[in-house]
Amino acid sequence: MFKDYNMNQVVLPMDLSYKLQENDVAFAVNDLVEAIPDEAFSAFLRSTGCPAYHPRMMMKLILCAYTQSTFSGRKIEGLLKDSVRMMWLAQGYEPSYRTINRFRVHPESQELLRHCFVQFRCQLVEEKLIDDEAIFIDGTKVKANANKFTFVWRKSVERYSAGLVEKSNQLYEELLNQDIIPAIERDNLEELSSEELEEVVQKLDDTVKDYDKRIEEAEDTKERKQLRAERKAPKQYRKQFKDFVIRKQKYKQDLAILGERNSYSKTDHDATFMRMKDDYMKNGQLKTGYNLQIATEGQYTLAYDIFPNPTDTLTFIPFLNKIEKWFFSLPSYIVADAGYGSEQNYDDVLNIRQRTPLITYGMYRKEKKKAYKNNAFNVANWYFDQESDTFTCPNDKKLNFKYWSKRTDKAGFERTFKVYECEDCFECPLRPQCTKAKEGNNRKVHYNEKWESQKAFTREVLSEAETGEIYGKRKIDVEPVFGFLKANLHFTRMSVRGKEQVKNEIGFALMAVNLRKYTARQSHQPILGQQNGANYRKAIIDTVFT
């Protein structure tokens, strides 16, 4: 006997949610988006045209598709036809891939994503899944949706631009010396602007036209031949200056796109070339990408942002500003690795934000090794006399304070150093091991008091039991998020171009990671009383008899 199976019988439609498991990720997606206030969707309202799909539904569809590692608009459209969870979330609607892609890159979608992260964090705090004591910050590189070999480098642009200025000035002087064109009014004698180059082209064009007219009017063959020979030089100059105008505008545009960066891609102007770990040629090749910064707690991403610069040091302060402005107030401890350890970052967290930085610095690990501590030529191991303000080198020579020195880095932060100089390094037997200074110059030490005090504070804080334990959670808190994003979710490359669109897509991907992790943890949570079987059975029996 078989169970009844008849393809010709009409089956009444039913609520598709009954087809889903109790802990399906679609329920988590639905609950999260439904918690967003109605006011957040008002920006999508329009008074003309066909009524739009509700933004709640579109948010649910994209988030749910991303949890299934589906990032293409066409594939998301395909899921709407054969995925039960997607059919339930869409409630019978089937938006096209164009509608899905337009909503995904819509400027207002970024605000909805912000509401999702804020609401998700509030939910975690309410359910006591995070203790809100510290946040863990780290960054990773994500490949952009750009071609591989589309480099535009700042140094190349500046070099070619300087060559163009030199060549154009040289040719302009030749034009004046040969009386081909009259002199033009110049604002800057060192460089011809784009407008001035166009004016030179116009004057050369007038000169060529004048020669054309004279050639037509001339009746003598020799005279016409002579005029054609004279016309050859202005025509060549005109061609060169036309090329100068085009190149001048191109270099100006390139520098505007570069901004403060050193490179950009021709196919995605906001992407920067940077070195990535997953190099397919195993030779350290540069790839176009974005620097993704996230703040986590309990392996959940609570805030994120995208930066064009490959180093993490300069992203720290802007990222903290973004967290405070758009996501949540900073907790007591801010934890990060040595890539964020700098004088400016320590100063910002301690003095401006009044928080405790649990951030190591570049030499933190190395300073603990015996080889470093036993190295007599490390300034950190030299004797320092506070009263006389002098260092003593391994050859028992005094290094006296000479003057103050200030340095300004690329970010505009100014650091102050005390410069000490040895009394006499001449004929010192330890000189080759102690210094690389040229003969006749004494050993100098640049000592940054503020930086040294910050390092001492960091060593003291991390040596304490409580704060040391918090810092020890960093690797198991923030690193797994990147692993889950790239290895489990298979999100290794952007599918959109432009910083704002990329920011939207990475927001959907990170929230998808959060929802999958949240759903997995909820499904593995023990049922009430399951830790103690006797108490659980007693509670069930009492309930039944009651």
Side-chain angles (χ1 to χ4, degrees):
M1 175 180 267
F2 297 103
K3 293 184 178 181
D4 182 54
Y5 176 73
N6 188 352
M7 291 294 294
N8 299 321
Q9 183 178 355
V10 177
V11 179
L12 294 176
M14 62 179 294
D15 186 2
L16 292 175
S17 62
Y18 288 105
K19 292 282 187 179
L20 302 177
Q21 296 182 4
E22 184 179 355
N23 59 338
D24 195 275
V25 71
F27 293 120
V29 171
N30 180 68
D31 295 341
L32 176 65
V33 179
E34 287 294 333
I36 300 176
D38 295 333
E39 295 78 13
F41 300 95
S42 58
F44 291 89
L45 290 173
R46 58 188 184 189
S47 56
T48 59
C50 179
Y53 292 112
H54 202 290
R56 284 192 193 274
M57 182 195 75
M58 299 300 297
M59 283 291 294
K60 293 176 185 177
L61 295 183
I62 297 176
L63 281 174
C64 186
Y66 271 62
T67 61
Q68 308 308 306
S69 301
T70 304
F71 314 118
S72 166
R74 292 180 182 271
K75 290 183 179 180
I76 294 175
E77 181 185 5
L79 283 180
L80 288 167
K81 304 181 188 304
D82 54 20
S83 173
V84 175
R85 56 170 64 94
M86 293 287 282
M87 292 185 207
W88 174 65
L89 292 173
Q91 289 295 299
Y93 292 109
E94 293 184 0
S96 68
Y97 71 92
R98 291 187 182 90
T99 305
I100 294 169
N101 289 339
R102 281 197 296 265
F103 182 86
R104 178 167 50 177
V105 299
H106 197 285
E108 297 298 332
S109 296
Q110 195 171 135
E111 179 65 14
L112 292 182
L113 283 167
R114 186 185 72 85
H115 278 283
C116 284
F117 277 92
V118 172
Q119 185 64 37
F120 186 75
R121 179 179 177 275
C122 294
Q123 182 178 342
L124 294 177
V125 174
E126 184 179 352
E127 296 179 9
K128 297 182 179 180
L129 295 177
I130 59 175
D131 52 15
D132 198 21
E133 182 184 20
I135 58 169
F136 303 86
I137 295 177
D138 203 358
T140 188
K141 311 295 190 304
V142 182
K143 285 187 286 187
N145 181 17
N147 295 346
K148 298 174 185 176
F149 307 108
T150 54
F151 309 100
V152 177
W153 300 102
R154 173 183 291 278
K155 289 184 178 180
S156 298
V157 173
E158 291 175 347
R159 184 173 69 253
Y160 292 141
S161 180
L164 185 147
V165 170
E166 183 181 354
K167 185 67 174 177
S168 60
N169 287 339
Q170 178 186 347
L171 294 184
Y172 177 71
E173 293 297 330
E174 291 179 7
L175 290 173
L176 296 182
N177 295 334
Q178 299 175 20
D179 293 330
I180 296 177
I181 62 170
I184 61 174
E185 295 183 3
R186 299 178 61 179
D187 297 330
N188 185 2
L189 297 178
E190 296 181 358
E191 179 180 355
L192 286 165
S193 64
S194 298
E195 294 77 13
E196 291 169 348
L197 288 172
E198 290 177 356
E199 187 177 352
V200 172
V201 172
Q202 184 61 41
K203 288 186 178 298
L204 286 169
D205 196 42
D206 294 339
T207 303
V208 172
K209 287 180 179 179
D210 182 60
Y211 273 107
D212 292 340
K213 184 178 180 181
R214 291 167 59 186
I215 291 171
E216 291 179 1
E217 294 176 352
E219 297 181 356
D220 187 14
T221 305
K222 291 183 178 180
E223 183 182 356
R224 294 177 66 178
K225 188 174 182 180
Q226 179 66 26
L227 290 172
R228 287 194 189 98
E230 294 177 1
R231 186 185 61 177
K232 187 175 181 181
K235 289 182 70 174
Q236 290 177 345
Y237 281 119
R238 183 180 63 175
K239 181 179 179 181
Q240 287 179 305
F241 273 91
K242 281 184 177 179
D243 181 59
F244 290 161
V245 172
I246 297 173
R247 288 170 55 193
K248 186 84 171 179
Q249 294 173 350
K250 180 182 180 299
Y251 297 151
K252 184 178 180 181
Q253 182 182 5
D254 288 340
L255 291 173
I257 295 173
L258 283 167
E260 297 180 356
R261 297 179 295 163
N262 292 324
S263 66
Y264 79 88
S265 171
K266 294 178 183 177
T267 48
D268 186 357
H269 291 172
D270 293 333
T272 307
F273 280 86
M274 51 187 73
R275 299 194 184 276
M276 299 186 185
K277 295 179 182 178
D278 53 337
D279 182 28
Y280 56 89
M281 294 186 70
K282 306 299 181 183
N283 61 356
Q285 189 176 16
L286 295 171
K287 301 183 204 172
T288 51
Y290 292 91
N291 189 353
L292 169 63
Q293 297 289 312
I294 63 172
T296 68
E297 188 175 0
Q299 296 185 3
Y300 294 106
T301 303
L302 308 180
Y304 72 98
D305 201 1
I306 288 288
F307 294 91
N309 50 301
T311 55
D312 293 333
T313 308
L314 301 179
T315 64
F316 185 71
I317 295 177
F319 185 42
L320 292 183
N321 293 336
K322 179 74 176 287
I323 293 174
E324 287 189 312
K325 183 177 181 181
W326 295 106
F327 292 98
F328 54 87
S329 298
L330 294 174
S332 303
Y333 299 102
I334 299 175
V335 188
D337 61 13
Y340 300 87
S342 70
E343 181 181 342
Q344 184 179 8
N345 293 342
Y346 284 131
D347 185 66
D348 180 82
V349 176
L350 287 169
N351 300 327
I352 298 178
R353 306 184 196 275
Q354 304 294 323
R355 300 293 193 273
T356 303
L358 301 182
I359 306 171
T360 56
Y361 48 90
M363 297 291 291
Y364 179 76
R365 301 290 182 191
K366 193 173 182 179
E367 287 177 354
K368 293 185 175 182
K369 296 182 179 179
K370 283 186 178 181
Y372 184 89
K373 293 179 179 180
N374 296 332
N375 189 349
F377 300 100
N378 279 337
V379 179
N381 299 328
W382 289 4
Y383 173 74
F384 178 73
D385 188 0
Q386 293 184 351
E387 294 183 0
S388 61
D389 195 14
T390 58
F391 283 95
T392 303
C393 74
N395 197 28
D396 291 332
K397 297 284 187 180
K398 299 292 184 182
L399 280 81
N400 301 310
F401 170 71
K402 290 297 182 180
Y403 56 89
W404 293 90
S405 174
K406 292 185 178 180
R407 297 178 185 174
T408 304
D409 57 17
K410 293 182 180 179
F413 183 75
E414 187 178 79
R415 294 178 295 168
T416 304
F417 294 86
K418 294 179 70 176
V419 181
Y420 295 83
E421 186 175 353
C422 185
E423 297 173 337
D424 184 17
C425 291
F426 184 68
E427 294 184 353
C428 177
L430 304 178
R431 180 185 176 87
Q433 300 169 272
C434 184
T435 181
K436 295 181 181 180
K438 295 181 180 179
E439 290 293 335
N441 296 333
N442 296 324
R443 170 70 188 269
K444 289 183 179 180
V445 172
H446 291 74
Y447 186 79
N448 189 339
E449 290 183 327
K450 187 176 182 181
W451 173 239
E452 294 300 329
S453 64
Q454 289 173 347
K455 292 199 296 184
F457 171 81
T458 302
R459 289 191 294 267
E460 181 182 356
V461 170
L462 294 179
S463 63
E464 297 176 1
E466 180 183 358
T467 51
E469 183 180 357
I470 294 174
Y471 181 79
K473 297 178 182 178
R474 188 194 66 81
K475 287 185 178 180
I476 62 173
D477 197 290
V478 66
E479 297 290 352
V481 176
F482 295 137
F484 199 104
L485 177 70
K486 295 181 179 181
N488 292 4
L489 202 66
H490 305 292
F491 188 89
T492 57
R493 188 174 186 265
M494 301 294 178
S495 58
V496 295
R497 296 176 179 178
K499 183 178 178 181
E500 297 305 317
Q501 289 85 345
V502 164
K503 195 177 294 185
N504 284 7
E505 185 177 36
I506 199 67
F508 282 114
L510 291 171
M511 182 50 66
V513 171
N514 286 345
L515 291 170
R516 283 186 59 170
K517 189 174 291 291
Y518 176 80
T519 304
R521 286 184 175 179
Q522 292 296 100
S523 62
H524 288 88
Q525 277 188 353
I527 305 175
L528 176 64
Q530 190 171 345
Q531 297 93 334
N532 191 328
N535 292 339
Y536 176 62
R537 288 192 294 272
K538 182 177 183 299
I540 295 297
I541 293 172
D542 291 344
T543 303
V544 172
F545 278 97
T546 300

